[in-house]
Amino acid sequence: MSSYKKAHQRASKATILYGVYRDNSGSGKLPRPEQQPRSRARRGISIGVLAVLLLLTGFLVHTVFRDADNFVSSVEIQKARYVAGDRNKGLPPLITEANAGVVPIKEGNLTGFLSPRSGFFSGKGPVLPPADKMAGKSETVAGPVFGAGDYQALFDQPGVAIADLFGLGVRTIVIDAGHGGEDPGAIGTNGLMEKDITLKIARLLYNRLLDEEGINVIMTRDSDVTLSLKHRVEYAREHDADLLVSIHLNTIPNSPLTIVETYYFGPPADDQSMKVAKKENYHSGYAVTEFNELINELGDALKQQESRKLASHIQKNVYNTLSRQNSNIVNAGVKTAPFVILLGAETPAVLAEVTCISNTGEEARLAKPAYRDKIAGALERGILSYLNQLRQQDRQRPEQGSNIYAES
Amino acid sequence: MPKVKVSQQDKALRIGIDLGTSRSAIAASNGKRKWVQSLVGWPKDFVARKMLGDRVLFGDEVKEHRLSLDVVRPLAHGVIKSGTEKDEESVAELIGHLISLVEPRPRQKIFAAVGVPAEALKVNKRAIREAIADYAEKLIVVSEPFAVAYGMGALDNAMIIDMGAGTTDFCIMHGTMPSVDDQRSLTTAGDYIDEQLLGLLTERYPDADFNMNIIRSFKEEHGFVGDSLTQLEVEARVEGRPVVHDITSEMRRACESILPAIAETAMDMIARFDPEYQDQVRNNIILAGGCSQIAGIDTYLMEALSEMGPCNISIVDNPLYAGAQGGLALAKDMPYEYWMDM
């Protein structure tokens, strides 16, 4: 082979290798920027290192107290705890098949947590009377408008099990990163754009859920592209989604307030929700007539009920997580509003306004990967605890009949 | 090639995997290479568990104990099966088994290049990633014909026709990564021949007991197209008694059934290629995959394509390992920074 030909072949080999790289990075897989690869080998090493550390601490304890029995048992226990924690990726233990008996979330808790009485105003933050009102109201509105009695009757029939919707093994969760492309969403004082942050959180959430068994997760957008709400809704429909979670950031103009709220579809509880809905529906791509048709399709009480539950779980987890970071954060609760994306989806769907980008402190925190990861983790816990609750209900159903669905 | 710094990555085991519908093969940088039938089986019930132990079975073992197992062909029809949990598990199990066959050192990092049927690459790239996530540190996924082409160094103006069991994949190489237009896929391949053969034989010998497994091994041993010098006779049971049947013409008809579509697709793809290079491509057609072993297939295709002008068709030396070796070559050549983290 002539040297020219050899050089040519080398060059084309390099081109091809680069092509393979591009092809593999372009689609299918997202980079996992803030996470360590969880290979078996690495996990094994880290367990080993920690075990050695624990042994050393144990040895110190041993030399100080000279109590051989205590030493061994305490080390064993700590080690066991560590291993258990590691399996859950360092998160507080979630409800898995194995420990499903200790689910901390019950219907009662949720309503308690949503009621204004439970004191989500710590007294420190600026007081916002409408928020108080809306949180209380959202619960009351959902009842009469959609006829609590109607779906009560539905659930009282022995044949209807919500779990049937989910009993197919794989659940497809659609993660929708709000806005994107030409539509930047809200923009913070220092220029942080909602579309970028929602996408980053969505990717983190996606990567987290990927590791869950029995869950198939897809994203409506994986890059900075303009997508109409119509497109997103249709995307979810096409992929036979079981759940849709749309991630957004709130903005409250001219106010330092930071609130967390989660929406499911329903009539707006108040003016503020209506404003938020207007903002989020802006790029819907639906004509008015189509929108009206969609509204007529409503009446799917089951979806409504499930959406509310999902919203509760997400709201609870996100608020609990974020309030640890920022004690001034306000829990605005679960609300209803006529978002197109929530209505169009045929499945339980929620829109989470995870925090306020209009608050400069929050804006600065949102720019940090660790904080976004915390939000993604909270969303993940919300989704998983909702799914686990479903699974648990499914298991209890034969004994308890349909009472467990009774409205509290 | 720029010299890579000697560091941890050089201790990693590079592997090439060929996930096929019928057979899967692996080749590793430690010199080992293995293949198994792409079959995964779980013991059906407690009797089966008592007999076989509570474990997953692969390949020939599955064939042997077929009746006491829930058998999954993870890549039936050239895409990763999905639907039930077992389907998804089966791919991961198969990959895990393949990797264990080449015996990586404990905790050795694994960099894997996986070749899959072109259709699976389109449809379930992510499922493949998930399936291999537990076993490998880094991964690239490519289409099967591309892996073969890379392994043979046929990077420029060549056409690979990978005739597997589930799909026949076409790929034209022209010195860059093949684009969508350069790749095509037909669902008529080895499995289709088996079905045709079974149909033809049951038509001619309604009393004889043929089943898919028997038919497949007939084909793999005696498949041919064109003229046959000898008569092809096989023994099959009629009402429990062995009877010799002549299956020469059925075998030819079944094997030839997939070829018109293949020839047409190949011609169409060449015709769409840059006219300046068409001659080169036509003289550099490579057949790979299990069906390339059917006797006389190269002559048949050469004749079929001759209306476009003279052409030259060659068959890969070792179709069983061509894909895996190609993957391994790719895994070895891939610069470190191009690898994707799992």
Side-chain angles (χ1 to χ4, degrees):
Chain A
M1 204 186 280
S2 72
S3 66
Y4 164 75
K5 208 164 178 190
K6 266 186 200 161
H8 177 70
Q9 185 139 10
R10 242 192 339 260
S12 80
K13 217 167 191 178
T15 325
I16 283 174
L17 288 172
Y18 181 66
V20 173
Y21 162 68
R22 285 284 301 274
D23 193 49
N24 270 270
S25 59
S27 58
K29 171 70 175 160
L30 303 164
R32 197 186 277 236
E34 275 105 19
Q35 276 169 302
Q36 289 290 319
R38 292 194 193 103
S39 75
R40 278 183 186 172
R42 175 110 15 127
R43 204 181 295 162
I45 292 167
S46 59
I47 290 180
V49 167
L50 220 100
V52 168
L53 277 177
L54 283 169
L55 277 170
L56 278 175
T57 3
F59 183 68
L60 280 175
V61 172
H62 174 57
T63 47
V64 173
F65 294 102
R66 293 180 192 280
D67 185 347
D69 289 342
N70 280 349
F71 154 54
V72 172
S73 59
S74 73
V75 170
E76 293 287 285
I77 289 166
Q78 284 189 52
K79 213 157 124 188
R81 265 194 204 141
Y82 171 70
V83 172
D86 179 73
R87 199 170 297 145
N88 285 326
K89 295 168 239 133
L91 299 170
L94 289 170
I95 315 104
T96 55
E97 297 267 292
N99 62 356
V102 289
V103 184
I105 297 144
K106 292 226 174 63
E107 199 64 354
N109 284 356
L110 286 177
T111 39
F113 138 82
L114 288 170
S115 75
R117 204 158 26 80
S118 63
F120 44 76
F121 290 116
S122 57
K124 273 196 239 160
V127 180
L128 174 80
D132 190 350
K133 230 163 72 194
M134 43 172 124
K137 217 170 163 186
S138 65
E139 281 300 285
T140 47
V141 168
V145 172
F146 293 96
D150 294 350
Y151 52 83
Q152 187 62 58
L154 180 67
F155 295 131
D156 284 344
Q157 289 167 8
V160 183
I162 289 171
D164 286 354
L165 288 175
F166 299 92
L168 300 167
V170 180
R171 292 152 189 80
T172 303
I173 298 179
V174 178
I175 302 170
D176 172 43
H179 307 282
E182 289 166 14
D183 171 20
I187 300 177
T189 338
N190 294 317
L192 203 64
M193 287 189 225
E194 182 180 355
K195 62 171 186 180
D196 297 330
I197 301 304
T198 54
L199 179 59
K200 282 176 178 161
I201 295 174
R203 279 183 183 159
L204 290 169
L205 179 58
Y206 172 87
N207 280 328
R208 279 165 171 274
L209 289 173
L210 263 190
D211 292 337
E212 288 304 325
E213 260 179 47
I215 289 179
N216 177 17
V217 51
I218 49 179
M219 292 169 73
T220 50
R221 71 178 177 101
D222 172 21
S223 56
D224 191 15
V225 288
T226 316
L227 285 183
S228 67
L229 293 179
K230 187 174 180 173
H231 181 98
R232 293 169 204 246
V233 167
E234 274 162 9
Y235 185 82
R237 286 190 175 186
E238 266 167 32
H239 287 78
D240 294 327
D242 293 313
L243 292 181
L244 186 144
V245 177
S246 184
I247 301 169
H248 285 259
L249 298 175
N250 225 329
T251 178
I252 306 178
N254 308 320
S255 161
L257 199 66
T258 305
I259 62 173
V260 177
E261 51 190 358
T262 309
Y263 287 93
Y264 65 101
F265 184 83
D270 52 53
D271 286 347
Q272 211 267 341
S273 301
M274 196 62 219
K275 271 182 206 147
V276 177
K278 243 183 213 159
K279 172 173 112 29
E280 310 290 23
N281 288 346
Y282 185 65
H283 280 271
S284 80
Y286 277 107
V288 180
T289 44
E290 278 175 292
F291 187 67
N292 283 338
E293 269 169 32
L294 280 175
I295 286 192
N296 289 336
E297 269 178 42
L298 178 73
D300 187 352
L302 200 70
K303 178 189 134 191
Q304 188 84 16
Q305 162 111 347
E306 289 307 305
S307 297
R308 186 172 65 80
K309 279 189 191 160
L310 175 60
S312 305
H313 283 269
I314 286 179
Q315 172 72 12
K316 181 183 168 165
N317 278 287
V318 173
Y319 174 69
N320 283 354
T321 304
L322 295 197
S323 60
R324 262 179 246 134
Q325 310 292 318
N326 174 5
S327 56
N328 288 329
I329 229 162
V330 174
N331 185 353
V334 171
K335 301 185 192 176
T336 57
F339 293 130
V340 167
I341 190 152
L342 300 185
L343 171 61
E346 287 168 318
T347 51
V350 300
L351 186 148
E353 301 268 2
V354 286
T355 179
C356 281
I357 200 170
S358 52
N359 179 304
T360 36
E362 276 300 301
E363 191 186 355
R365 270 187 287 273
L366 280 170
K368 291 181 190 146
Y371 191 67
R372 296 195 294 263
D373 195 46
K374 284 208 166 75
I375 296 176
L379 290 168
E380 183 199 31
R381 284 196 290 284
I383 293 168
L384 291 183
S385 70
Y386 165 75
L387 288 177
N388 278 314
Q389 193 207 11
L390 273 187
R391 270 175 223 164
Q392 220 194 1
Q393 284 175 351
D394 193 25
R395 233 172 279 137
Q396 287 170 355
R397 177 156 278 275
E399 293 93 57
Q400 300 194 352
S402 52
N403 285 342
I404 49 169
Y405 290 115
E407 279 279 63
S408 50
Chain B
M1 285 276 137
K3 217 167 184 139
V4 188
K5 267 182 265 164
V6 178
S7 65
Q8 246 191 334
Q9 74 224 27
D10 284 19
K11 295 181 203 151
L13 182 70
R14 315 281 170 133
I15 56 172
I17 293 181
D18 165 3
L19 279 183
T21 307
S22 161
R23 293 183 174 88
S24 293
I26 184 168
S29 56
N30 61 10
K32 297 196 173 84
R33 59 181 203 180
K34 292 273 158 47
W35 68 272
V36 289
Q37 306 250 16
S38 302
L39 292 170
V40 184
W42 285 267
K44 252 183 201 166
D45 51 22
F46 73 97
V47 181
R49 268 195 290 280
K50 175 95 180 159
M51 184 174 80
L52 303 165
D54 202 358
R55 66 199 172 101
V56 188
L57 283 82
F58 302 94
D60 288 337
E61 246 186 326
V62 174
K63 263 193 163 166
E64 203 176 308
H65 302 289
R66 185 163 59 87
L67 298 178
S68 45
L69 297 171
D70 284 327
V71 180
V72 177
R73 266 180 109 188
L75 284 118
H77 310 299
V79 287
I80 290 188
K81 274 189 96 179
S82 60
T84 69
E85 256 173 53
K86 280 253 168 69
D87 289 339
E88 277 152 30
E89 256 172 62
S90 63
V91 188
E93 293 280 2
L94 183 64
I95 292 174
H97 178 67
L98 280 169
I99 292 178
S100 73
L101 286 177
V102 296
E103 296 163 2
R105 292 197 309 274
R107 288 190 191 159
Q108 187 173 21
K109 285 186 178 167
I110 289 175
F111 289 15
V114 181
V116 295
E119 202 60 24
L121 187 66
K122 257 189 256 160
V123 186
N124 23 37
K125 207 178 216 173
R126 213 181 63 224
I128 298 161
R129 281 194 176 278
E130 276 165 21
I132 203 168
D134 278 347
Y135 307 102
E137 193 82 13
K138 311 263 180 185
L139 171 71
I140 43 176
V141 187
V142 294
S143 80
E144 196 52 58
F146 174 78
V148 173
Y150 194 87
M152 298 184 64
L155 305 178
D156 212 1
N157 300 329
M159 178 182 221
I160 316 294
I161 306 179
D162 179 20
M163 295 179 285
T167 53
T168 300
D169 298 332
F170 298 76
C171 173
I172 288 190
M173 299 291 298
H174 46 81
T176 59
M177 189 73 190
S179 68
V180 182
D181 293 339
D182 304 326
Q183 305 200 49
R184 226 177 282 179
S185 212
L186 295 175
T187 50
T188 46
D191 287 352
Y192 181 80
I193 296 180
D194 299 345
E195 282 163 29
Q196 294 293 311
L197 187 55
L198 183 64
L200 290 169
L201 288 180
T202 37
E203 200 173 297
R204 178 159 166 198
Y205 305 112
D207 299 332
D209 281 341
F210 294 106
N211 73 21
M212 246 356 185
N213 284 334
I214 298 175
I215 297 264
R216 193 166 294 147
S217 51
F218 281 174
K219 180 199 69 182
E220 280 166 11
E221 242 171 274
H222 308 291
F224 75 98
V225 297
D227 296 329
S228 161
L229 299 173
T230 53
Q231 206 173 20
L232 192 53
E233 285 177 340
V234 293
E235 210 179 81
R237 288 178 184 267
V238 178
E239 292 171 356
R241 283 181 291 275
V243 176
V244 173
H245 297 87
D246 171 24
I247 63 166
T248 318
S249 68
E250 280 74 20
M251 182 64 84
R252 180 175 46 230
R253 274 170 67 194
C255 289
E256 283 177 356
S257 66
I258 63 167
L259 293 178
I262 290 177
E264 203 149 298
T265 310
M267 279 200 277
D268 186 44
M269 285 180 77
I270 293 171
R272 281 160 191 263
F273 199 59
D274 192 327
E276 205 182 331
Y277 301 109
Q278 281 183 15
D279 277 357
Q280 288 186 39
V281 175
R282 219 171 39 236
N283 280 299
N284 204 0
I285 298 176
I286 299 162
L287 302 184
C291 287
S292 66
Q293 297 304 291
I294 293 173
I297 201 162
D298 47 345
T299 333
Y300 183 103
L301 284 176
M302 251 188 272
E303 235 166 71
L305 297 184
S306 63
E307 60 180 83
M308 304 177 76
C311 62
N312 187 21
I313 296 181
S314 55
I315 298 173
V316 290
D317 294 337
N318 190 342
L320 191 53
Y321 285 115
Q325 294 287 14
L328 178 59
L330 196 55
K332 280 180 172 168
D333 290 351
M334 205 72 184
Y336 183 70
E337 60 275 15
Y338 285 180
W339 285 94
M340 301 279 110
D341 269 330
M342 290 309 304

